[in-house]
Amino acid sequence: MRISVIGTGYVGLVTGACLADSGHSVCCVDIDEAKIAKLNDGIIPIYEPGLEDLVERNTRENRLSFSSNVTEAIESGAILFIAVGTPPGPDGAADLSHVFNVVRTISATATSPKIIVTKSTVPIGTGEKIREILDTNGIRHEVVSNPEFLKEGAAISDFTNPDRIVIGTNSAQAMKTMKRLYQPIVDAAPSRRASVIEMDIASAEMTKYAANAMLATRISFMNELARLCGKVGADVKLVQNGIGLDPRIGQRFLNPGIGYGGSCFPKDVQAMIATGREHDSPFQILEAVHAVNERQKSVLVELITSYYGDDLSNHTFAVWGLAFKPNTDDMREAPSIVIIEALLSHGARIVAFDPVAQANAESIWGDRISYTNLNKDALKGADALLVLTEWKEFRVPNLARMKDELGAAVVFDGRNIYDPDVMRKAGFTYFSIGRPPVLADTDA
Amino acid sequence: MQIAVIGTGYVGLVTGTCFAESGNKVICYDVDESKIQALENGNIPIYEPGLSELVLRNASAGRLRFSTDMAESVKDAEIVFIAVGTPQADDGSADLSYLFAAVENMASHLTEDAIVVTKSTVPVGTNAKIFAKLRDWTGRDCNVASNPEFLKEGAAINDFMFPDRVVVGVRQSEVGDVLRRLYSTFLRTDKPFLVMSPESAEMTKYVANAMLATKISFINEMANVCGCVGADINDVRKGIGHDQRIGFAFLFPGVGYGGSCFPKDVRAMMRMAEHQNVDPQILRAVDEVNLRQKTILLSSIEKHFNGQLAGKRVAIWGLAFKPRTDDVREAPSLNLIDALKERDVHISVHDPVAMENVQQLYGDDLEYALSPQDALDHADALVIMTEWGEFRHPDLSEMAQRMASPVVFDGRNLYEAAQMKKAGFVYYSIGRPKVMPD
């Protein structure tokens, strides 16, 4: 099938590359000419394991091409994926101007019937609005909602080995075509569990928000609970295991931490809250989920200032991890931003390390903080280490060397990646989330 | 082992019976003489599939006895389980007066090595208090443990014998070892026995229930928004349930959770948090959403009848807070009955096992039908409040015939839209578009 993907951000690139890899002929189009030029040179603007290889191979084998000519891409594709950004507007609702601009262009320029698929996360009712815009034109296009559930850092495997493929449309013909489009992926999915779930457009749009909202709810629930555990002397990690073994609950997405970030959860939760308000059906739980998350970002700072006092001007903190989660360079809404800004405002010096997000971090802080790597005395002279992202390489450090390099053996762990007993034995003062603090014997 | 179980409510009776079934000698104690008398006569005061048979078998084998004598119950016991009620106090916190009374009564009869295990759901810190009180009353350090119970009413025996996990909170590992031996019969597969501090164990019980309640209120709010935007919660539910990080369990929208655990435990946890200066934002939202959800059908009913409810006849299917139990504590059906009575509606009800409990509350104010279909005669509407299996495939044409007008308010999403449309019903459900007959 001939497919055009409009928008070469995260979702667009992964969708295009993976559909090309399952044998379809795909053109990825973006109005940003510089971006397209880079892509044509094989330079991928985002960090995603496996994506570069996939793009390279499918470009070489002529199934994948890049273009900045939108009208041409619209004309050549039978299925048009819209994967442009939907950033939150000032009131938290998703800004759909990019989506509607694309639809207007399609309406104005397409000379044959298209299947128009929204991959971008769009508020419920957007499919209906798209149809209204299209209906001003004489050609009968079909509208489909096909939300994307990929996780940054595991995007390729999520796309090619999905838990489910959600397709919402009111057109039987479009449903048939979409199922044919995804058949190679369903057939080849290693899990053998991939299935297409058919529904109407509004339900498909809702499904995307509901999934992210549920995951965000699990995180904020555990974060709220972790605060209580810390106060009553319970250990949230044991509690987490105790409830996760209940199959009605499950172990996934129960890690307490310093709050969720990234380009999806915060935005989608806020958009859902806005949708609820708009329909006079306020989303009380999600409002609480959002409030708890905002608060959670300052938990580590509270621990730090109650340990050292408010004046941190004589303190240097080594920070491990800046990205909002491991295996990505994405810094959008990362808790590290809130935490580092707060520490800077208290006068602290920051020496930061992240395996891949440093370039993005530099564009945020420039030389207001310094950067290092794990091989160079990353901890030398720091008063404490802060763990903000649970990259695997942080999980089993050489504690003796760590203690040696640090000016004081103090660790603030925002991701609960170390065992308090191990830290105690190694002579550390160790703070984590929702677990009793380990206070090193100062005479030792 | 020789075991005493203090309190013969749901948890106590199931705990005692299951431990007797695995070969221990068990005495179940209760202060309520009539209850003990009834149990000795083989009358089980609660409805729980399989329990009655198990009680009789173990009683006649001499492994299970009932007593109102604390000294006799406790004096030879190696392990004493406390399973008394911890009802909700006026401020929402857990009322521990029964629990501490039981501890005080048993104190002088305990052997030196006895382990006092709390099965009741108690706030974090209770175990430490029991330890301190026992020291006051016995003059020695007694062995105490926390061992929260996760059984579900309606599946209690199976849950107890095949647990997903057993959680114990202890301060000495030897105490944990004794309990591990006791539970080993139920953990022959790879299910874990988790040993932690009493504080973490106490917390685990609340958190598990709070998370389940959160999932229910979450999907209920989602359903309400679906209703507003024309989406179908059933499709959405499938769409997110396939996500392995989410799963399908406990994501069924309905008329709110009830029963003796979720509402009470969520509120007790809120009070616990407030005492620690932690603002329980999510829990409060969960509780409030649930209260609102219990009246969600009432608003549809009022709207449908343009507020003219006086003199109408409404049939209600399902009274228990969930299927396979006769428990109506905090059941959403009660909220609905109260509201309809206030509006002078004639109410006929049917529930396979919970009618007696409801009759105790409402007496002759309601009509009690012996079968689901009998409840429908001349009804202006049917409301479904509990998803009993027998309501799932009714004879729709008989239903329509018996009712004065074929209108169904389905609080449990039991039926398909197309099926109801074809059968000529006006059909309202939760988070799905309203259906009008062909």
Side-chain angles (χ1 to χ4, degrees):
Chain A
M1 275 182 244
R2 282 208 64 89
I3 296 154
S4 293
V5 179
I6 302 156
T8 57
Y10 224 104
V11 169
L13 265 184
V14 172
T15 302
C18 290
L19 287 176
D21 201 52
S22 60
H24 300 296
S25 171
V26 180
C27 175
C28 286
V29 61
D30 205 303
I31 46 170
D32 183 340
E33 291 186 16
K35 209 169 173 187
I36 293 298
K38 275 189 182 167
L39 283 165
N40 274 325
D41 289 341
I43 300 165
I44 312 294
I46 52 170
Y47 170 80
E48 181 61 43
L51 183 59
E52 207 169 312
D53 288 352
L54 210 60
V55 169
E56 190 275 324
R57 184 154 49 80
N58 283 284
T59 318
R60 180 157 42 84
E61 294 170 10
N62 289 324
R63 284 187 301 270
L64 181 62
S65 61
F66 299 98
S67 159
S68 56
N69 188 334
V70 179
T71 25
E72 217 174 271
I74 288 172
E75 201 42 49
S76 68
I79 302 175
L80 308 177
F81 279 93
I82 302 179
V84 296
T86 55
D91 61 344
D95 172 1
L96 295 175
S97 51
H98 299 305
V99 173
F100 291 142
N101 282 340
V102 170
V103 175
R104 278 187 211 103
T105 310
I106 295 171
S107 190
T109 63
T111 57
S112 58
K114 307 288 180 189
I115 294 177
I116 297 158
V117 186
T118 44
K119 261 275 170 226
S120 308
T121 300
V122 294
I124 302 106
T126 305
E128 213 36 61
K129 286 184 189 154
I130 290 175
R131 159 153 316 290
E132 281 164 24
I133 293 173
L134 290 169
D135 280 350
T136 58
N137 179 295
I139 302 168
R140 170 89 191 165
H141 304 295
E142 298 300 347
V143 181
V144 173
S145 164
N146 169 219
E148 185 45 61
F149 298 101
L150 58 80
K151 298 183 287 292
E152 294 184 19
I156 308 290
S157 83
D158 283 346
F159 199 98
T160 54
N161 194 21
D163 284 335
R164 80 301 208 187
I165 297 159
V166 169
I167 298 174
T169 179
N170 307 328
S171 151
Q173 190 54 44
M175 183 64 80
K176 225 169 117 189
T177 308
M178 289 300 290
K179 285 172 82 171
R180 242 178 40 232
L181 171 76
Y182 275 110
Q183 200 58 48
I185 286 176
V186 170
D187 289 343
S191 72
R192 300 267 157 241
R193 276 189 308 96
S195 61
V196 170
I197 303 179
E198 304 175 31
M199 54 184 83
D200 61 277
I201 294 179
S203 298
E205 289 167 341
M206 184 76 160
T207 297
K208 169 65 187 184
Y209 282 103
N212 278 348
M214 182 75 244
L215 295 171
T217 300
R218 291 174 74 99
I219 294 174
S220 274
F221 175 92
M222 287 308 291
N223 282 336
E224 180 167 303
L225 170 81
R227 288 167 47 73
L228 181 55
C229 281
K231 296 272 177 98
V232 297
D235 180 333
V236 76
K237 204 142 191 179
L238 300 174
V239 174
Q240 181 188 339
N241 188 34
I243 70 164
L245 285 162
D246 184 332
R248 300 167 300 171
I249 295 174
Q251 293 283 14
R252 313 276 299 266
F253 266 71
L254 294 179
N255 283 323
I258 46 179
Y260 57 76
S263 62
C264 295
F265 287 7
K267 171 171 83 73
D268 292 354
V269 167
Q270 286 174 82
M272 196 82 247
I273 290 171
T275 302
R277 284 196 188 141
E278 212 175 284
H279 290 91
D280 239 359
S281 185
F283 238 121
Q284 282 179 270
I285 292 180
L286 292 186
E287 297 201 7
V289 164
H290 176 64
V292 167
N293 194 58
E294 287 302 297
R295 208 189 166 295
Q296 196 65 16
K297 293 179 187 172
S298 59
V299 163
L300 220 51
V301 177
E302 284 165 25
L303 282 172
I304 292 168
T305 51
S306 69
Y307 187 72
Y308 297 103
D310 276 344
D311 180 9
L312 299 174
S313 56
N314 291 317
H315 291 82
T316 300
F317 296 106
V319 171
W320 281 3
L322 298 167
F324 85 93
K325 66 173 188 178
N327 307 320
T328 178
D329 65 349
D330 198 338
M331 290 285 298
R332 285 176 286 181
E333 302 258 351
S336 67
I337 298 176
V338 176
I339 293 167
I340 289 175
E341 286 300 340
L343 294 176
L344 289 173
S345 77
H346 283 280
R349 273 195 66 232
I350 303 291
V351 183
F353 168 71
D354 190 286
V356 303
Q358 184 172 325
N360 284 337
E362 278 176 39
S363 69
I364 295 172
W365 287 295
D367 56 6
R368 292 164 61 215
I369 68 174
S370 45
Y371 308 90
T372 182
N373 65 55
L374 283 190
N375 304 320
K376 279 196 336 202
D377 311 326
L379 302 172
K380 198 116 208 166
D383 295 288
L385 165 66
L386 277 47
V387 179
L388 301 188
T389 313
E390 65 278 32
W391 284 93
K392 271 205 195 82
E393 58 204 276
F394 302 155
R395 285 182 184 267
V396 280
N398 180 336
L399 289 176
R401 188 183 139 198
M402 214 161 109
K403 195 173 172 217
D404 233 35
E405 281 189 20
L406 277 167
V410 182
V411 174
F412 294 88
D413 178 359
R415 301 297 182 177
N416 286 2
I417 61 175
Y418 304 126
D419 181 339
D421 282 336
V422 171
M423 297 305 275
R424 176 181 293 114
K425 281 181 196 132
F428 280 86
T429 290
Y430 176 64
F431 295 93
S432 55
I433 306 293
R435 300 189 294 180
V438 170
L439 299 172
D441 190 349
T442 42
D443 300 333
Chain B
M1 285 187 224
Q2 182 80 39
I3 292 168
V5 179
I6 310 303
T8 58
Y10 223 103
V11 169
L13 209 48
V14 171
T15 301
T17 307
C18 290
F19 280 133
E21 174 72 10
S22 60
N24 299 287
K25 296 205 79 158
V26 179
I27 302 180
C28 287
Y29 164 91
D30 206 295
V31 281
D32 184 340
E33 290 191 16
S34 62
K35 211 169 172 186
I36 292 297
Q37 189 92 59
L39 283 165
E40 281 179 332
N41 293 331
N43 295 324
I44 312 299
I46 51 171
Y47 171 81
E48 178 61 42
L51 180 60
S52 185
E53 182 198 328
L54 224 51
V55 169
L56 292 179
R57 180 143 55 89
N58 284 285
S60 68
R63 284 191 301 268
L64 180 62
R65 290 199 295 132
F66 301 96
S67 170
T68 53
D69 182 340
M70 179 67 91
E72 182 207 10
S73 306
V74 166
K75 69 178 172 29
D76 298 319
E78 294 157 81
I79 304 175
V80 180
F81 283 96
I82 303 177
V84 299
T86 52
Q88 183 177 311
D90 291 339
D91 68 343
S93 64
D95 173 359
L96 299 177
S97 54
Y98 298 115
L99 181 119
F100 288 128
V103 174
E104 184 169 9
N105 287 338
M106 77 176 66
S108 60
H109 307 297
L110 291 170
T111 68
E112 293 253 334
D113 298 326
I115 301 172
V116 177
V117 184
T118 310
K119 265 254 166 252
S120 309
T121 300
V122 293
V124 181
T126 304
N127 214 264
K129 282 186 194 154
I130 293 174
F131 178 79
K133 282 180 190 273
L134 279 172
R135 179 149 60 184
D136 287 349
W137 289 322
T138 65
R140 60 174 195 271
D141 286 351
C142 296
N143 296 319
V144 296
S146 161
N147 170 217
E149 184 47 58
F150 299 101
L151 58 80
K152 297 184 286 292
E153 294 186 16
I157 307 288
N158 197 61
D159 284 346
F160 199 94
M161 306 262 214
F162 303 96
D164 292 318
R165 80 301 207 189
V166 172
V167 170
V168 301
V170 296
R171 291 202 211 283
Q172 298 114 345
S173 59
E174 308 84 71
V175 174
D177 292 340
V178 175
L179 291 171
R180 188 194 303 268
R181 252 197 335 274
L182 176 68
Y183 273 106
S184 59
T185 22
F186 304 131
L187 296 169
R188 276 172 295 187
T189 51
D190 58 348
K191 300 298 187 196
F193 183 84
L194 305 177
V195 182
M196 51 183 82
S197 71
E199 286 71 27
S200 296
E202 289 165 338
M203 188 63 116
T204 300
K205 169 66 187 181
Y206 280 106
V207 176
N209 277 349
M211 176 55 108
L212 294 171
T214 301
K215 290 180 81 170
I216 295 175
S217 277
F218 173 90
I219 203 72
N220 280 337
E221 272 205 307
M222 206 50 86
N224 297 344
V225 174
C226 276
C228 297
V229 299
D232 183 332
I233 189 65
N234 209 30
D235 286 331
V236 174
R237 190 179 64 75
K238 281 184 209 150
I240 70 171
H242 278 283
D243 187 327
Q244 293 187 73
R245 301 165 299 173
I246 297 174
F248 286 99
F250 265 73
L251 288 178
F252 294 93
V255 286
Y257 57 79
S260 63
C261 295
F262 288 4
K264 170 172 84 73
D265 291 353
V266 167
R267 277 174 225 141
M269 205 167 151
M270 283 163 65
R271 292 298 95 78
M272 234 190 298
E274 282 157 5
H275 287 153
Q276 300 293 338
N277 284 321
V278 173
D279 184 15
Q281 289 174 282
I282 292 180
L283 294 177
R284 191 182 313 115
V286 166
D287 188 46
E288 284 173 8
V289 168
N290 193 57
L291 288 177
R292 189 150 33 85
Q293 198 68 15
K294 285 181 170 187
T295 59
I296 198 100
L297 283 183
L298 181 69
S299 4
S300 319
I301 295 170
E302 288 209 295
K303 220 193 239 162
H304 179 84
F305 291 106
N306 296 318
Q308 309 293 310
L309 284 177
K312 289 277 186 304
R313 299 178 69 96
V314 169
I316 299 177
W317 282 4
L319 299 167
F321 84 92
K322 66 172 186 178
R324 290 175 297 281
T325 178
D326 65 350
D327 198 339
V328 295
R329 284 176 285 182
E330 304 245 5
S333 66
L334 305 185
N335 302 61
L336 179 69
I337 290 171
D338 289 340
L340 292 178
K341 267 180 53 182
E342 226 171 79
R343 289 161 179 76
D344 292 317
V345 172
H346 177 274
I347 304 167
S348 60
V349 300
H350 175 76
D351 188 286
V353 302
M355 279 203 289
E356 237 173 81
N357 284 337
V358 168
Q359 196 155 14
Q360 278 178 18
L361 297 172
Y362 294 98
D364 295 337
D365 290 356
L366 314 178
E367 192 185 314
Y368 303 92
L370 290 176
S371 76
Q373 296 284 2
D374 284 347
L376 297 177
D377 288 327
H378 316 297
D380 297 293
L382 163 66
V383 188
I384 297 171
M385 295 300 281
T386 317
E387 65 278 30
W388 284 93
E390 55 209 279
F391 301 154
R392 288 183 185 267
H393 298 286
D395 181 337
L396 291 175
S397 59
E398 187 193 341
M399 268 170 81
Q401 253 166 35
R402 284 191 160 200
M403 294 177 75
S405 61
V407 183
V408 174
F409 298 87
D410 179 356
R412 301 297 181 175
N413 287 3
L414 298 186
Y415 310 126
E416 292 299 328
Q419 162 199 20
M420 297 305 276
K421 194 177 183 63
K422 206 170 136 219
F425 281 87
V426 177
Y427 178 60
Y428 297 85
S429 54
I430 308 289
R432 301 189 297 175
K434 174 185 169 186
V435 171
M436 295 300 283
D438 275 335

